[in-house]
Amino acid sequence: MENKNINPVSGVKQIIAIASGKGGVGKSTTSVNIAFALNNLGKKVGLLDADVYGPSIPKMVGLSGKPDTSKDGKKIIPKEKFGIQTMSIGFLIDEDTPMIWRGPMVMSAVKQLLYEVEWKEIDILVLDLPPGTGDTQLTLAQQVPISGSVIVSTPQDIALLDVKKGINMFHKVDIPVYGIIENMSYFICPNCSEKSEIFANGGAKATAEEYNIDFLGEIPINSKIREYADKGEILVNKNEKNEFKNLYTDIARKLILKLEENISIKSPEIKFVD
Ligand code: ADP
């Protein structure tokens, strides 16, 4: 890790942070499907829901209840689904209790979720960050040993402005941006198969080009993706043929390559937006 002051996370080899400029773009849905796709590709995967403002991962992976603690009482044991070790603040707080999180509280909660959990032999920990690119996310990125990051965005302009802020944020703390994923990229009508670009299309690709970072793929808007997330079932683990499985698996494969190369794709020509 470049920053020598950051402590490694016991039991975890590498961390990929999944970020977004704002909430509701499908960051958690993407994190879940990528985590399971990485697992299907033979990696030992952990999934940490650091979105303390709205922890949705327990519901999306169909896990609930309080986690166990280790025999010495010092660490929390992550919950498992298909071999993926999962941890979320959602396991620890009451779903109906409104939580008001201020920056320092978010930091200490996320650090506890990382360092006080008994992760076992994890190759890749998928870290679903809180939405946004403010001070909280910046401090987090500075204090956690992240190998690389991925930014999820919808294709329209406003969301893309936030992407640019996200890219700048990771560059400030010297974390490579492995690429951008465009979610809700297009819609294929189930009746007539016509493709509609509801939120426009291609914006994320253009931004990736502009910043000289990789475009990792586009995921359509589809009710199946939402339905599986709502049911707590894992879309990429379904035997039935579905195009989404291939899309998420392709992205997961690219991320494995990035981690193996461990190359910084930061461009010297990067332009900063204020
Ligand atoms: P975020 O983590 O960015 O706040 P979520 O992953 O919670 O966003 O997704 C917000 C909502 O959009 C959820 O109801 C989810 O099921 C839905 N969703 C996400 N991606 C897609 C997609 N590609 N197609 C259809 N629905 C999606």
Side-chain angles (χ1 to χ4, degrees), residues 63-259:
L63 286 168
S64 60
K66 296 266 180 284
D68 294 330
T69 37
S70 59
K71 284 203 187 89
D72 61 8
K74 286 189 179 149
K75 286 202 165 182
I76 304 168
I77 315 273
K79 289 182 170 289
E80 281 203 27
K81 178 103 179 219
F82 303 129
I84 295 200
Q85 298 166 47
T86 306
M87 190 58 213
S88 167
I89 194 89
F91 296 144
L92 305 171
I93 55 168
D94 193 345
E95 216 180 301
D96 304 323
T97 313
M99 297 286 290
I100 301 160
W101 292 96
R102 293 192 182 87
M105 285 167 68
V106 175
M107 268 313 303
S108 75
V110 175
K111 277 183 144 180
Q112 281 183 33
L113 293 174
L114 254 182
Y115 290 103
E116 291 173 30
V117 166
E118 202 166 80
W119 303 108
K120 285 200 200 89
E121 296 169 11
I122 287 183
D123 296 317
I124 304 170
L125 182 81
V126 176
L127 175 63
D128 181 20
L129 286 174
T133 53
D135 279 351
T136 306
Q137 291 78 5
L138 185 75
T139 318
L140 246 171
Q142 253 166 342
Q143 298 191 12
V144 165
I146 297 169
S147 301
S149 61
V150 170
I151 300 177
V152 179
S153 174
T154 46
Q156 71 272 40
D157 278 340
I158 294 172
L160 287 170
L161 270 180
D162 296 318
V163 169
K164 293 175 183 179
K165 286 188 201 149
I167 296 170
N168 286 344
M169 179 184 87
F170 286 115
H171 282 302
K172 262 187 214 153
V173 291
D174 244 349
I175 294 174
V177 179
Y178 288 155
I180 301 180
I181 297 171
E182 188 170 270
N183 190 36
M184 309 194 195
S185 240
Y186 54 90
F187 174 74
I188 306 278
C189 171
N191 301 317
C192 67
S193 300
E194 196 193 11
K195 186 173 177 176
S196 326
E197 297 179 340
I198 298 175
F199 299 118
N201 174 266
K205 204 177 226 168
T207 305
E209 265 168 30
E210 184 186 340
Y211 282 81
N212 201 15
I213 58 178
D214 280 11
F215 181 69
L216 297 171
E218 47 187 24
I219 310 287
I221 183 163
N222 188 281
S223 56
K224 218 173 205 172
I225 296 180
R226 188 204 47 79
E227 279 162 22
Y228 277 102
D230 280 354
K231 281 194 288 191
E233 290 182 19
I234 311 300
L235 185 61
V236 297
N237 277 32
K238 292 286 151 190
N239 284 329
E240 67 190 75
K241 207 171 154 247
N242 71 68
E243 67 192 281
F244 317 113
K245 192 147 106 180
N246 295 341
L247 295 175
Y248 288 118
T249 305
D250 272 356
I251 294 173
R253 224 175 257 124
K254 287 179 188 163
L255 291 176
I256 291 175
L257 281 178
K258 291 277 179 202
L259 287 168

